[in-house]
Amino acid sequence: MPRPHAPRPIAALAAIGIGAAALVGCSASTPSTDGSAAPEESAASTFPEGDIRLIIQANPGGGSDLSSRALAAELEQILGVSVIAENMPGASGALAMEYVASQPADGTVIGFGPVEIAMLNTTQGADVLPENYDFLGQIMLAPGVISVAADSDIQTLEDLVARSEEAPLTVANSGAGSIWEAATLGLGDVTGAQLTPVPYDGGATAVSAAASGEADAAVSGLGEALAQEGAVRVLAVMHGERHPKAPDVETVEEALGEEVAFGGWGGIYAPAGLPEDVHATLEDAIAQAVESESYQQFQDNSGNLVVYRDSEEFTTFVEDQFGIFQDLLG
């Protein structure tokens, strides 16, 4: 049965560097000659004055949602204001991303940007372009996995490939145009398995579909599979090496002799054009949050890797990723 053509696995996450965070603090106001604070520096000292909304492009319970909420808890302590996590699923994340871009560039609305922020313009024609955003910092990386229901008679990745020869298998993912849809097609392309991607609004919902038998399998981040607490069986990791949180699970290469590497990175972004002081305050706070022991422990428990890039590095990275996905998926 013919399938849509898919590119060979995307080496989009090769050579990820985990650098030390560059902390940028806000300086105190400098008095003018008449004793008053200079206007620009006075403004710098007052942000943030009220709540900050953190828009999440997926349903509650998935990797994007949990990582965002873990970071928000740290940001509240660092910034001294409420950071309100707000789910806005739809259109594989484009709904949330376009919404954030439309908001005033004053730091009161930020978003969690998954890898799809570099894909959706190519895969769906969404108005999601690097120039629409200020990228404040990368905060995590989620290696991809394929899983089935715990009571499925598919025991191994080899079993799954063999079963797909009888009839195409449905594979739930986090949405049309998402990294996990691309990973599903890439896995099928390399292994010869007949895999039909089925979109859901978020990785948690996709894995739940596999757990219940609504779909034959799911492709997601490892953390989303682990969050099901034994309701799914992870067949393989789409990464260059086994994951420390799932040491007994083979990589695709170990299972089938074919290298397949897909992963979902994520970071924080804001509407383009933030004032310099607001940008610096948010970048600094994100760096501190990522370095915190509680945030790093959360990501470790969730099966994700802590990968940090500062604003400049993350901006360059996203722009490079945007070009890669245009070439490979366009």
Side-chain angles (χ1 to χ4, degrees), residues 10 66 110 141 157 163 165-166 178-179 194 201 210 240 267 275:
I10 302 166
L66 297 175
I110 58 178
L141 168 67
L157 185 59
R163 182 68 57 82
E165 294 173 356
E166 303 170 8
S178 71
I179 186 63
Q194 297 187 80
D201 273 333

Side-chain angles (χ1 to χ4, degrees), residues 52-280:
I52 295 173
R53 297 167 63 207
L54 173 54
I55 306 301
I56 307 165
Q57 86 296 343
N59 280 316
S64 294
D65 177 70
L66 297 175
S67 289
S68 297
R69 292 177 186 276
L71 190 82
E74 299 300 321
L75 291 177
E76 287 190 335
Q77 297 183 47
I78 295 164
L79 294 171
V81 298
S82 294
V83 179
I84 302 168
E86 185 176 326
N87 297 91
M88 192 178 292
S92 299
L95 181 67
M97 295 170 200
E98 291 177 350
Y99 172 79
V100 172
S102 73
Q103 298 304 295
D106 58 8
T108 61
V109 177
I110 58 178
F112 177 85
V115 59
E116 286 82 7
I117 203 167
M119 298 173 63
L120 289 171
N121 180 261
T122 300
T123 58
Q124 293 195 23
D127 186 20
V128 178
L129 299 163
E131 57 262 35
N132 294 348
Y133 308 105
D134 279 5
F135 294 99
L136 299 169
Q138 182 178 347
I139 66 170
M140 52 77 69
L141 168 67
V145 300
I146 184 162
S147 55
V148 296
D151 59 359
S152 171
D153 58 0
I154 297 174
Q155 299 290 321
T156 66
L157 185 59
E158 189 174 15
D159 288 346
L160 182 137
V161 173
R163 182 68 57 82
S164 78
E165 294 173 356
E166 303 170 8
L169 300 180
T170 56
V171 181
N173 64 77
S174 55
S178 71
I179 186 63
W180 302 134
E181 181 189 58
T184 301
L185 293 171
L187 180 65
D189 182 59
V190 170
T191 63
Q194 297 187 80
L195 306 177
T196 302
V198 181
Y200 287 80
D201 273 333
T205 314
V207 178
S208 293
S212 68
E214 184 176 316
D216 296 314
V219 169
S220 68
L222 175 61
E224 291 156 333
L226 294 178
Q228 293 291 323
E229 298 181 346
V232 294
R233 178 187 305 117
V234 180
L235 301 180
V237 179
M238 300 182 193
H239 197 54
E241 56 189 30
R242 295 193 186 195
H243 197 287
K245 300 302 290 186
D248 296 332
V249 178
E250 295 180 314
T251 67
V252 174
E253 186 172 16
E254 287 176 323
L256 299 176
E258 298 283 356
E259 183 179 0
V260 178
F262 285 89
W265 47 260
I268 303 299
Y269 69 99
L274 289 179
E276 288 185 9
D277 62 289
V278 174
H279 190 292

